[in-house]
Amino acid sequence: MCYNAVVKIEGEVEKKIYETPGFAVVLLKTEQGSVKASGELDFLTEGEYVVLEGRWKEGKYGREFSVEEVVSHEIRSSGIERVIYSAGIKGIGKKTSRKIVETFKEKTLDTILNNPERLTDIRGITEEKAKKLQEFFVDLGKKREILIFLSELSIPSSIARKIVEHYGEETKKVILENPYRLSLEFRGIGFKKADSIAKRLGVPLDSKERAHAAIVYLLEQEAASGNTYMEKEKLWEKLSYLEISQHNFESALLSRDFVIRDKKVGLKKYFLWEAEIAEALLKMRDVQELLPLEDLSDSFRQVANSFPIELDELQKKAIENALSSRFLVISGGPGTGKTTIIKFIGLVAKAKGMKVKFAAPTGRAAKRLTEATGFEATTIHRLLEFDPFSMEFERNQARPLDVDFLILDETSMIDAWLFRAVLRALPVRARLILVGDKDQLPSVGPGNILSDIISSGLFPAVFLKKIYRQKEGSLIAENARRIRQGLIPYTEKGGEFEFFPEKQVFEKIMDLATREIPQRLGLHPLTEEIQVISPMYKGEVGVERLNRELQERLNSEGREIKIGRKKFKVGDKVMQTYNNYLKEIFNGEIGRVVDGDEKTLIVNFYGREILLWEEDVEDLVLAYAISIHKSQGSEYSAVIFPTVKQHWIMLQRNLVYTAITRARKYVGIVGDYDSLRWGIKNDRPLRRKTWLKHLLK
């Protein structure tokens, strides 16, 4: 039997063995005998006849069928007795269900739906019970009809069920009226998919609904790249290729979903986020005159006398600014003393009896901040008490944080949505310090908070340039400075910063990651402290190929776990690719697979073992190699980084800078020299288009 081939099986659902939202294991009665099937089957009813598509696999308890798609499901006369019983109506058990079928035979279903009063002829069935049974079958029929309709539109069953849960009995009506709502309201159905559905339903290409959905689609694409608006002319240029008329374009722009200012178009939600941020920042600047700050000079001297590090003038200036300002930005590259400054500030606040809190965008960054400062740091989401069910923060204007000093690290990673939440929860009396590296890549989400605040020139900022780190990572820090200036880095064969002008780039990366660097640094090759980082996902040395090969070489003996459409091995390095607020794991965080089966996966994220269901696992990928963007906010002992001509379209100065500044002890660049030089000389950072920089002006 081929266990990799996609095949179809069919039969009657005998029993549900296990069920949880989004997943079930059922026993299926087929012509070949009973078969165990698992997958997104929780919506099935015992007694239904189903056609399933999927693959055979060996589970813990023998062979079973892993379902990838429910092709069809219906109630047949042979299974109706089981369906009646599965309705769960008190007083209609197995015996009564059998009696109903024996009494009405092939007309059972018709009787239940159209003449339920006849069921009262059977002893024990009242009018109320008959009515409940009729309602059960009516609802079942409506749901099945809708699911069949969605299946005919080639909508995957997993998404189809979410659509039915959301729209209920109105599903078909809603989609027929405006199929583009699907792309606006459901993850997994983009504009292109909704467009193909609309064409099948006969919606004209030049409809206002299509124009509206296309504008949202293009603006959301821009938001995925960090931009919160597009120039109107550019937006129209892209829309014209979709055969949308100028009239419908202009009409669609009148929607309340959009904001138009100075020939710029953006989604209203992003504009409002940044408008609120601008207002809060300007108010924070002005309120200092109304609420004088407490004098901390005595506490400053007290901490300075016992502080183990001698501060230079620039560091003292940064601290003085922080103690005398409502708001301050501290920016600098690796080894420039950012952590020393904020640790000192924290000690001053503590000595004065003030409440100080440290936070960072990710769990890893928060853990590193705790280790570096000695103050307990948390994720910003945890600090603001994020509720994953309501998708709201419990800490806000009505219930602000109880804090005098709030210090946020890695602020280049903070997007507009999260920064707005921080400002909402900040009490008027509090001081806010943003710490980050302005030369790093900006946040994954929309906005360019740190850069926009600095470039506005309206707020106090300290820029650290001197490198204090003399031992660990001194050449890395020096080369970071050189790259910022557009200079080629110094390299040292056998040292902490190496360049390998290799033709066999892929094999050299494999050798460095699996043998050379683990031996040199005394690290296990599977440790999180060695990280391969690549600019692109595709290609010979792209993230995808590197991951497959590194998994094979480093974890070939790991037990394989197949859950849904994903395959992992126990021991695999994995990365979260979307924020999972319920589990408190965030985009870019790396973990280790501990255990799992066909239903769940257990992953250790920075000391926390998290139980993930199949829908959670969809957001996991292998992390032996990761993209530079996903490495933001992380630090590793060693970084291995390819630069090849295939990556030229992506290589730019802040990308190279971000890659090498992830490393503490070692950087190994493998590839051709021209590509490295091109990336460093290419100072064309993709400037983000954000409302905030305009609103601050």
Side-chain angles (χ1 to χ4, degrees):
M1 177 178 290
C2 179
Y3 279 76
N4 289 321
V6 176
V7 296
K8 286 183 181 179
I9 64 169
E10 56 184 278
E12 184 183 303
V13 179
E14 282 190 284
K15 184 181 180 183
K16 278 190 175 180
I17 301 170
Y18 173 84
E19 181 179 1
T20 191
F23 181 86
V25 180
V26 303
L27 198 62
L28 203 65
K29 183 180 179 182
T30 71
E31 291 183 357
Q32 290 75 35
S34 292
V35 169
K36 191 189 295 181
S38 62
E40 296 175 345
L41 307 174
D42 54 308
F43 66 98
L44 292 179
T45 303
E46 290 182 8
E48 284 192 278
Y49 193 87
V50 295
V51 179
L52 308 175
E53 190 175 81
R55 307 169 196 264
W56 290 102
K57 70 173 185 179
E58 285 295 333
K60 280 186 177 179
Y61 308 104
R63 188 183 71 145
E64 65 180 68
F65 192 73
S66 179
V67 178
E68 296 178 5
E69 187 69 28
V70 178
V71 179
S72 66
H73 58 111
E74 60 181 334
I75 298 174
R76 292 186 175 181
S77 56
S78 59
I80 198 167
E81 178 185 323
R82 194 178 298 276
V83 177
I84 294 170
Y85 170 65
S86 72
I89 297 169
K90 190 175 181 180
I92 302 181
K94 289 184 178 180
K95 289 183 179 179
T96 307
S97 299
R98 187 177 303 117
K99 185 67 176 174
I100 292 171
V101 175
E102 288 173 351
T103 302
F104 299 104
K105 298 183 173 58
E106 69 277 0
K107 293 185 178 180
T108 299
L109 184 57
D110 181 66
T111 302
I112 293 171
L113 290 172
N114 301 311
N115 304 105
E117 68 280 357
R118 293 187 61 192
L119 297 176
T120 58
D121 294 342
I122 297 171
R123 186 179 177 183
I125 299 182
T126 62
E127 287 186 12
E128 183 184 357
K129 291 175 184 177
K131 186 67 174 175
K132 283 183 179 179
L133 191 59
Q134 181 195 38
E135 289 171 354
F136 172 79
F137 273 87
V138 168
D139 290 342
L140 204 61
K142 286 179 180 177
K143 189 175 181 181
R144 182 178 298 102
E145 182 185 342
I146 293 169
L147 287 170
I148 290 170
F149 168 71
L150 296 176
S151 176
E152 289 170 348
L153 296 176
S154 301
I155 295 174
S157 58
S158 57
I159 300 176
R161 287 197 301 282
K162 291 175 184 176
I163 293 170
V164 175
E165 287 171 13
H166 185 68
Y167 296 137
E169 292 183 13
E170 298 292 306
T171 299
K172 193 171 181 178
K173 180 185 175 185
V174 167
I175 293 173
L176 288 172
E177 286 178 354
N178 182 11
Y180 292 101
R181 283 185 63 176
L182 296 175
S183 67
L184 304 176
E185 298 174 18
F186 295 96
R187 181 180 162 190
I189 298 185
F191 172 77
K192 292 178 181 177
K193 178 66 177 175
D195 209 24
S196 68
I197 292 170
K199 287 175 184 176
R200 290 178 66 172
L201 295 175
V203 178
L205 282 175
D206 195 22
S207 68
K208 290 181 181 178
E209 291 80 12
R210 185 170 185 263
H212 179 276
I215 293 171
V216 173
Y217 166 67
L218 291 173
L219 292 176
E220 288 289 14
Q221 275 196 323
E222 287 294 304
S225 299
N227 303 311
T228 53
Y229 70 79
M230 282 180 76
E231 290 83 3
K232 185 178 177 182
E233 186 178 342
K234 184 179 178 183
L235 178 60
W236 164 241
E237 183 184 326
K238 289 195 171 188
L239 281 172
S240 62
Y241 290 106
L242 295 173
E243 301 180 57
I244 291 170
S245 69
Q246 179 88 35
H247 172 74
N248 277 344
F249 169 56
E250 296 291 348
S251 296
L253 285 180
L254 298 175
S255 165
R256 294 181 180 180
D257 294 334
F258 309 121
V259 168
I260 305 174
R261 280 193 170 195
D262 302 322
K263 298 181 180 179
K264 300 176 181 70
V265 181
L267 287 168
K268 186 176 182 179
K269 61 180 178 180
Y270 299 133
F271 175 83
L272 291 178
W273 293 354
E274 293 188 290
E276 189 176 333
I277 289 169
E279 183 180 8
L281 287 174
L282 294 171
K283 188 180 291 183
M284 188 182 296
R285 184 188 62 170
D286 298 337
V287 81
Q288 189 153 328
E289 297 178 9
L290 302 173
L291 292 174
L293 292 169
E294 195 170 0
D295 182 13
L296 301 176
S297 54
D298 289 343
S299 298
F300 177 92
R301 286 190 290 272
Q302 179 185 335
V303 173
N305 290 335
S306 60
F307 201 64
I309 299 172
E310 182 69 28
L311 301 174
D312 70 10
E313 289 307 311
L314 187 58
Q315 289 178 312
K316 287 179 182 177
K317 180 185 175 185
I319 294 168
E320 288 167 2
N321 284 345
L323 300 180
S324 60
S325 303
R326 186 73 59 188
F327 177 77
L328 177 70
V329 174
I330 301 173
S331 179
T336 55
K338 298 190 298 293
T339 304
T340 299
I341 291 170
I342 59 176
K343 181 177 181 178
F344 193 103
I345 293 167
L347 291 171
V348 170
K350 186 178 179 182
K352 191 68 175 179
M354 302 175 80
K355 294 172 182 175
V356 59
K357 291 186 183 295
F358 289 74
T362 67
R364 179 164 186 137
K367 182 181 179 184
R368 196 174 69 246
L369 186 59
T370 299
E371 293 167 351
T373 64
F375 287 89
E376 183 183 355
T378 66
T379 63
I380 297 173
H381 287 81
R382 183 170 288 183
L383 174 75
L384 302 182
E385 298 176 23
F386 183 75
D387 182 350
F389 298 103
S390 67
M391 294 297 285
E392 296 288 342
F393 293 94
E394 296 293 326
R395 293 288 186 172
N396 48 41
Q397 302 99 317
R399 187 169 168 260
L401 293 165
D402 184 16
V403 63
D404 299 303
F405 265 97
L406 177 58
I407 301 172
L408 301 182
D409 198 15
E410 296 290 353
T411 51
S412 63
M413 296 178 65
I414 300 177
D415 61 22
W417 174 75
L418 189 56
F419 193 59
R420 179 191 65 154
V422 169
L423 294 177
R424 282 183 167 187
L426 198 68
V428 176
R429 72 172 191 278
R431 313 175 199 212
L432 177 62
I433 300 172
L434 304 184
V435 185
D437 186 345
K438 67 180 179 62
D439 296 307
Q440 275 191 40
L441 292 171
S443 60
V444 174
N448 200 11
I449 299 299
L450 183 62
S451 179
D452 286 347
I453 290 172
I454 291 172
S455 63
S456 75
L458 297 174
F459 306 96
V462 177
F463 303 100
L464 306 173
K465 296 178 181 178
K466 183 179 177 181
I467 298 166
Y468 299 92
R469 207 182 280 169
Q470 295 302 318
K471 294 180 180 179
E472 182 185 303
S474 58
L475 188 55
I476 295 171
E478 172 62 21
N479 280 335
R481 182 187 65 79
R482 289 181 63 81
I483 289 169
R484 282 202 312 270
Q485 296 172 350
L487 302 173
I488 303 301
Y490 298 128
T491 60
E492 181 183 17
K493 190 170 179 60
E496 67 186 27
F497 202 110
E498 291 187 282
F499 178 76
F500 301 93
E502 297 284 329
K503 290 186 178 180
Q504 301 296 324
V505 177
F506 183 81
E507 284 303 323
K508 184 61 182 177
I509 290 172
M510 291 297 115
D511 193 44
L512 285 170
T514 62
R515 187 184 62 82
E516 284 190 38
I517 303 310
Q519 288 179 4
R520 191 188 302 185
L521 298 183
L523 297 170
H524 191 281
L526 261 176
T527 180
E528 294 172 22
E529 289 302 306
I530 299 174
Q531 188 61 59
V532 179
I533 299 176
S534 180
M536 296 182 75
Y537 283 90
K538 304 293 182 183
E540 180 187 356
V541 286
V543 169
E544 292 174 359
R545 186 186 178 207
L546 289 168
N547 264 322
R548 289 194 299 270
E549 189 63 27
L550 285 167
Q551 183 195 44
E552 181 58 34
R553 297 194 188 196
L554 294 175
N555 195 25
S556 59
E557 300 301 315
R559 175 172 64 85
E560 187 175 280
I561 302 167
K562 185 178 185 300
I563 176 168
R565 295 176 294 179
K566 297 274 187 172
K567 286 182 182 178
F568 295 105
K569 292 182 178 181
V570 172
D572 273 344
K573 277 174 70 174
V574 292
M575 182 176 65
Q576 183 74 10
T577 59
Y578 287 91
N579 289 341
N580 186 325
Y581 300 111
L582 188 61
K583 305 288 184 179
E584 287 192 43
I585 44 178
F586 300 100
N587 190 353
E589 294 193 332
I590 291 178
R592 180 85 59 190
V593 176
V594 176
D595 198 2
D597 53 31
E598 69 276 5
K599 299 183 288 293
T600 59
L601 199 69
I602 300 173
V603 181
N604 187 312
F605 285 97
Y606 315 124
R608 295 169 57 227
E609 288 195 356
I610 310 293
L611 178 69
L612 303 176
W613 296 97
E614 183 179 334
E615 60 183 24
D616 301 319
V617 173
E618 284 296 311
D619 297 334
L620 280 186
V621 295
L622 291 174
Y624 297 97
I626 62 176
S627 72
I628 296 171
H629 283 84
K630 293 294 187 185
S631 73
Q632 285 177 268
S634 298
E635 274 191 4
Y636 314 97
S637 289
V639 164
I640 302 162
F641 172 50
T643 57
V644 295
K645 285 186 171 63
Q646 192 178 21
H647 294 165
W648 273 36
I649 192 171
M650 287 293 293
L651 288 173
Q652 57 191 48
R653 188 179 299 173
N654 62 355
L655 199 84
V656 177
Y657 175 82
T658 299
I660 71 142
T661 54
R662 301 307 89 213
R664 291 193 303 271
K665 296 180 180 179
Y666 176 84
V667 172
I669 302 176
V670 188
D672 65 84
Y673 190 77
D674 287 343
S675 296
L676 176 61
R677 185 171 58 186
W678 160 256
I680 293 169
K681 295 296 181 185
N682 178 19
D683 189 24
R684 291 185 297 104
L686 301 175
R687 301 190 186 282
R688 290 197 166 180
K689 299 170 184 176
T690 63
W691 294 112
L692 182 59
K693 60 186 173 187
H694 299 291
L695 291 165
L696 287 174
K697 290 177 182 177

